[in-house]
Amino acid sequence: MKERHFLTASLLVACITVATPAVAENPVLKVGFVGVTSGPAAAWGISNQRSMEARAAWINETGGYRIGDATYDIEIVSFDDQKDPKRAIAGMEKMAQEGIRYVVGPNVDDGAAAVRPVAESRGIMYFPYAFPKELYSAPASNAVLGMVANYQSGPAIYRYLKDNRGVRTVAFVAANESDPLSQRDGGIAAAEALGLEVVSGNVTYQVDTTDFAPVLTPVIRTRPDLLVLSGVTPANAPQLIRSARELGFEGIVSTETAQDATVLREGAGALANGFISVGGASTPDIASDAMNEFVERYTKMFGEYNDESNTKVYALEYILETLKANPAAIDDVAEFKRTMDTFEAPNPFMKGNAKLRYVGTTSFGQKRQVAVPLVVNVYRDGAFETLFVAEVD
């Protein structure tokens, strides 16, 4: 019993440190980020880190965040895992050593799976942007999906294109890595369940490929109505799109991963027009004044904005609001888990009476997913336009 009290006190001290009066009077609450901020998938993690930093700066500037009897300044502690599972483990270990209980990331399946033992053994709740169901289904309980999964967005996209664009045949192309291959398999199953004919589903490429014409030629020959780039990174997407169009493909190109409009514009230009992807969890029609201010602050802070940050802004908000609902969870993730089933709070980033709440019962058998709108975008002349908006249970 004494050992338990000592550990609890030590972790609390490590997690919340008091700054000197000359800097701030508020105690500091550290929230971690472990994810990819370099390499082909860097845009995914950079959006995470910047969203957290922009929101934290906003909170601190306006006096801090009230949880229980204290008001905290928020500090983001970041670690670039370079899309390497071993580094992701090292990053999560670093968070544990600093007494950080709540971590956003990792951004890919391998990394999210690799850190699970550390998170569970060291008492860390983490919010990955990765799709394996076993991370969020019992007996797992420490991971919370921070976005809409491909097996939730894929069927919605395919159904929309079947009903509204006459799509009947589909082909899939994926990088030869576990994440995109898993997403491809899920996409094929979803397409077949909707009655679409899969005309090509076994073509893969290496992530360092620079010439995609040989990869895509046999796929284009099958003349699909829809070409799905399963799990494609923001760096590879424009190259694949450009190659497909230069080979004469005139159908629709889509993906279930979020993309970067700037990267598409620079890498594919007008050839990317019509490209469909999952967007950030906001549109002009549903964005609140707070969301618009977040975009302004993010843009001012970093000189640019990534639409995916409309989704990435949510993880930190969910963590803080859940802690606010149960302050005991600051030092005890078991309290956090107990709060999740009944948690509900106003959604500051959407107009109307939208709520922050945990979902995922349909997909995982338990509430281990944040409720964010499923926004599907189409790229047009350098920017994303909203194609449709849906919800996930």
PDB file of all heavy atoms in Angstrom, residues 169-171 197-201 219 222-225:
ATOM      1  N   THR A 169     -17.452  -0.621 -61.027  1.00  0.00           N
ATOM      2  CA  THR A 169     -16.228  -1.408 -60.928  1.00  0.00           C
ATOM      3  C   THR A 169     -15.159  -0.606 -60.193  1.00  0.00           C
ATOM      4  O   THR A 169     -15.077   0.611 -60.311  1.00  0.00           O
ATOM      5  CB  THR A 169     -15.694  -1.802 -62.312  1.00  0.00           C
ATOM      6  OG1 THR A 169     -15.424  -0.605 -63.080  1.00  0.00           O
ATOM      7  CG2 THR A 169     -16.717  -2.648 -63.060  1.00  0.00           C
ATOM      8  N   VAL A 170     -14.314  -1.309 -59.444  1.00  0.00           N
ATOM      9  CA  VAL A 170     -13.321  -0.634 -58.620  1.00  0.00           C
ATOM     10  C   VAL A 170     -12.020  -1.426 -58.622  1.00  0.00           C
ATOM     11  O   VAL A 170     -12.025  -2.654 -58.677  1.00  0.00           O
ATOM     12  CB  VAL A 170     -13.852  -0.430 -57.186  1.00  0.00           C
ATOM     13  CG1 VAL A 170     -14.255  -1.754 -56.563  1.00  0.00           C
ATOM     14  CG2 VAL A 170     -12.834   0.277 -56.302  1.00  0.00           C
ATOM     15  N   ALA A 171     -10.896  -0.707 -58.583  1.00  0.00           N
ATOM     16  CA  ALA A 171      -9.572  -1.318 -58.481  1.00  0.00           C
ATOM     17  C   ALA A 171      -8.849  -0.707 -57.286  1.00  0.00           C
ATOM     18  O   ALA A 171      -9.041   0.465 -56.968  1.00  0.00           O
ATOM     19  CB  ALA A 171      -8.768  -1.079 -59.760  1.00  0.00           C
ATOM     20  N   GLU A 197     -17.946  -4.576 -58.398  1.00  0.00           N
ATOM     21  CA  GLU A 197     -17.029  -5.582 -58.936  1.00  0.00           C
ATOM     22  C   GLU A 197     -15.597  -5.101 -58.763  1.00  0.00           C
ATOM     23  O   GLU A 197     -15.223  -4.033 -59.258  1.00  0.00           O
ATOM     24  CB  GLU A 197     -17.308  -5.823 -60.425  1.00  0.00           C
ATOM     25  CG  GLU A 197     -16.380  -6.871 -61.035  1.00  0.00           C
ATOM     26  CD  GLU A 197     -16.551  -7.019 -62.527  1.00  0.00           C
ATOM     27  OE1 GLU A 197     -17.438  -6.338 -63.103  1.00  0.00           O
ATOM     28  OE2 GLU A 197     -15.785  -7.798 -63.133  1.00  0.00           O
ATOM     29  N   VAL A 198     -14.785  -5.865 -58.066  1.00  0.00           N
ATOM     30  CA  VAL A 198     -13.371  -5.538 -57.883  1.00  0.00           C
ATOM     31  C   VAL A 198     -12.599  -6.137 -59.051  1.00  0.00           C
ATOM     32  O   VAL A 198     -12.447  -7.355 -59.149  1.00  0.00           O
ATOM     33  CB  VAL A 198     -12.841  -6.077 -56.544  1.00  0.00           C
ATOM     34  CG1 VAL A 198     -11.349  -5.784 -56.403  1.00  0.00           C
ATOM     35  CG2 VAL A 198     -13.616  -5.472 -55.379  1.00  0.00           C
ATOM     36  N   VAL A 199     -12.105  -5.278 -59.950  1.00  0.00           N
ATOM     37  CA  VAL A 199     -11.435  -5.751 -61.159  1.00  0.00           C
ATOM     38  C   VAL A 199      -9.925  -5.894 -60.976  1.00  0.00           C
ATOM     39  O   VAL A 199      -9.257  -6.528 -61.791  1.00  0.00           O
ATOM     40  CB  VAL A 199     -11.737  -4.816 -62.349  1.00  0.00           C
ATOM     41  CG1 VAL A 199     -13.221  -4.876 -62.710  1.00  0.00           C
ATOM     42  CG2 VAL A 199     -11.315  -3.382 -62.055  1.00  0.00           C
ATOM     43  N   SER A 200      -9.383  -5.305 -59.905  1.00  0.00           N
ATOM     44  CA  SER A 200      -7.960  -5.460 -59.600  1.00  0.00           C
ATOM     45  C   SER A 200      -7.772  -5.180 -58.112  1.00  0.00           C
ATOM     46  O   SER A 200      -8.220  -4.138 -57.617  1.00  0.00           O
ATOM     47  CB  SER A 200      -7.106  -4.491 -60.434  1.00  0.00           C
ATOM     48  OG  SER A 200      -5.728  -4.626 -60.100  1.00  0.00           O
ATOM     49  N   GLY A 201      -7.101  -6.101 -57.421  1.00  0.00           N
ATOM     50  CA  GLY A 201      -6.949  -5.908 -55.984  1.00  0.00           C
ATOM     51  C   GLY A 201      -5.655  -6.428 -55.409  1.00  0.00           C
ATOM     52  O   GLY A 201      -5.508  -6.514 -54.195  1.00  0.00           O
ATOM     53  N   VAL A 219      -3.256  -2.074 -63.870  1.00  0.00           N
ATOM     54  CA  VAL A 219      -4.498  -1.697 -63.184  1.00  0.00           C
ATOM     55  C   VAL A 219      -5.387  -0.886 -64.121  1.00  0.00           C
ATOM     56  O   VAL A 219      -6.595  -1.130 -64.221  1.00  0.00           O
ATOM     57  CB  VAL A 219      -4.194  -0.894 -61.905  1.00  0.00           C
ATOM     58  CG1 VAL A 219      -5.496  -0.524 -61.191  1.00  0.00           C
ATOM     59  CG2 VAL A 219      -3.281  -1.671 -60.972  1.00  0.00           C
ATOM     60  N   THR A 222      -7.578  -2.597 -66.666  1.00  0.00           N
ATOM     61  CA  THR A 222      -8.845  -3.214 -66.256  1.00  0.00           C
ATOM     62  C   THR A 222     -10.019  -2.234 -66.368  1.00  0.00           C
ATOM     63  O   THR A 222     -11.159  -2.626 -66.165  1.00  0.00           O
ATOM     64  CB  THR A 222      -8.766  -3.728 -64.807  1.00  0.00           C
ATOM     65  OG1 THR A 222      -8.601  -2.620 -63.902  1.00  0.00           O
ATOM     66  CG2 THR A 222      -7.608  -4.706 -64.647  1.00  0.00           C
ATOM     67  N   ARG A 223      -9.702  -0.957 -66.638  1.00  0.00           N
ATOM     68  CA  ARG A 223     -10.697   0.097 -66.861  1.00  0.00           C
ATOM     69  C   ARG A 223     -11.726   0.205 -65.730  1.00  0.00           C
ATOM     70  O   ARG A 223     -12.932   0.146 -65.954  1.00  0.00           O
ATOM     71  CB  ARG A 223     -11.398  -0.125 -68.205  1.00  0.00           C
ATOM     72  CG  ARG A 223     -10.443  -0.191 -69.381  1.00  0.00           C
ATOM     73  CD  ARG A 223     -11.164  -0.353 -70.690  1.00  0.00           C
ATOM     74  NE  ARG A 223     -11.944   0.845 -71.020  1.00  0.00           N
ATOM     75  CZ  ARG A 223     -12.696   0.964 -72.120  1.00  0.00           C
ATOM     76  NH1 ARG A 223     -12.764  -0.040 -72.984  1.00  0.00           N
ATOM     77  NH2 ARG A 223     -13.371   2.065 -72.338  1.00  0.00           N
ATOM     78  N   PRO A 224     -11.258   0.413 -64.515  1.00  0.00           N
ATOM     79  CA  PRO A 224     -12.202   0.556 -63.400  1.00  0.00           C
ATOM     80  C   PRO A 224     -12.902   1.913 -63.436  1.00  0.00           C
ATOM     81  O   PRO A 224     -12.345   2.897 -63.935  1.00  0.00           O
ATOM     82  CB  PRO A 224     -11.301   0.441 -62.171  1.00  0.00           C
ATOM     83  CG  PRO A 224      -9.982   0.981 -62.647  1.00  0.00           C
ATOM     84  CD  PRO A 224      -9.853   0.519 -64.073  1.00  0.00           C
ATOM     85  N   ASP A 225     -14.102   1.962 -62.890  1.00  0.00           N
ATOM     86  CA  ASP A 225     -14.772   3.251 -62.710  1.00  0.00           C
ATOM     87  C   ASP A 225     -14.115   4.049 -61.586  1.00  0.00           C
ATOM     88  O   ASP A 225     -14.088   5.275 -61.612  1.00  0.00           O
ATOM     89  CB  ASP A 225     -16.250   3.047 -62.360  1.00  0.00           C
ATOM     90  CG  ASP A 225     -17.017   2.321 -63.441  1.00  0.00           C
ATOM     91  OD1 ASP A 225     -16.708   2.546 -64.634  1.00  0.00           O
ATOM     92  OD2 ASP A 225     -17.916   1.536 -63.097  1.00  0.00           O
TER      93      ASP A 225
END
